[in-house]
Amino acid sequence: MGSRSKKAALLLFLVFSSITAGQVAADFWGGTYDVVLSDTGASFYDTDIVGLWPNYYAFVMRGEVESYSTSWYEGEGHSSIAVIVLGVYFLDYSSVKLTNTQGFSLSRTYTQASFTGSFYYPFLDDYDGGPRSTMTMRWHYKLVGAGTF
């Protein structure tokens, strides 16, 4: 076998191994990755940093419910993340959910990683004796390539 044939065979082996390793990692680790932020109160704030050096990704959730008024939220995320050992993930969807102890629920889903929104809050806020509120944001990613890069 010549030098050129050995190089071609090695390249073919590496390509096949990468594809197989990606599928094995997706099956073993799971084909999805979620980042979830949550907070309670009339004002909401949470943050998380995902990844390891040199790939860090900051996620931020902010929001506020105001008594019988227009309330707001904003989420800051990333359209793709690379998590060492696990792989590269692309955003499938992001979402926000607000609930309170009176049974009120608001859910919205987005296709982008960063989003803002407003809504009418038909209660007193937590600070004014209203029901306790919880805001949760989720960024749901699907595995597109596995590896140990």
Side-chain angles (χ1 to χ4, degrees):
M1 193 183 250
S3 176
R4 180 181 271 187
S5 298
K6 286 181 183 177
K7 288 180 183 176
L10 178 60
L11 180 61
L12 184 60
F13 172 76
L14 291 174
V15 168
F16 178 75
S17 296
S18 319
I19 293 168
T20 305
Q23 186 58 46
V24 169
D27 292 343
F28 181 75
W29 295 108
T32 62
Y33 189 92
D34 288 326
V35 177
V36 180
L37 303 178
S38 186
D39 194 15
T40 57
S43 292
F44 309 99
Y45 180 80
D46 195 9
T47 185
D48 193 12
I49 296 178
V50 173
L52 301 171
W53 181 88
N55 301 318
Y56 293 108
Y57 305 92
F59 291 81
V60 180
M61 174 187 80
R62 293 182 194 90
E64 189 168 355
V65 290
E66 299 178 20
S67 296
Y68 303 106
S69 182
T70 301
S71 300
W72 62 274
Y73 59 84
E74 64 181 25
E76 296 173 19
H78 300 271
S79 57
S80 65
I81 57 175
V83 181
I84 292 178
V85 179
L86 297 183
V88 177
Y89 294 81
F90 283 166
L91 182 71
D92 186 29
Y93 67 87
S94 52
S95 64
V96 60
K97 183 172 185 177
L98 177 81
T99 58
N100 71 21
T101 53
Q102 287 292 111
F104 177 80
S105 181
L106 170 88
S107 296
R108 293 186 181 159
T109 303
Y110 298 90
T111 56
Q112 64 269 21
S114 295
F115 52 88
T116 61
S118 60
F119 58 96
Y120 178 72
Y121 190 69
F123 299 92
L124 288 172
D125 64 39
D126 300 30
Y127 298 139
D128 294 326
R132 189 100 173 123
S133 302
T134 301
M135 182 176 284
T136 303
M137 290 188 181
R138 175 182 309 273
W139 288 263
H140 181 76
Y141 294 88
K142 286 192 174 179
L143 183 68
V144 293
T148 60
F149 48 91

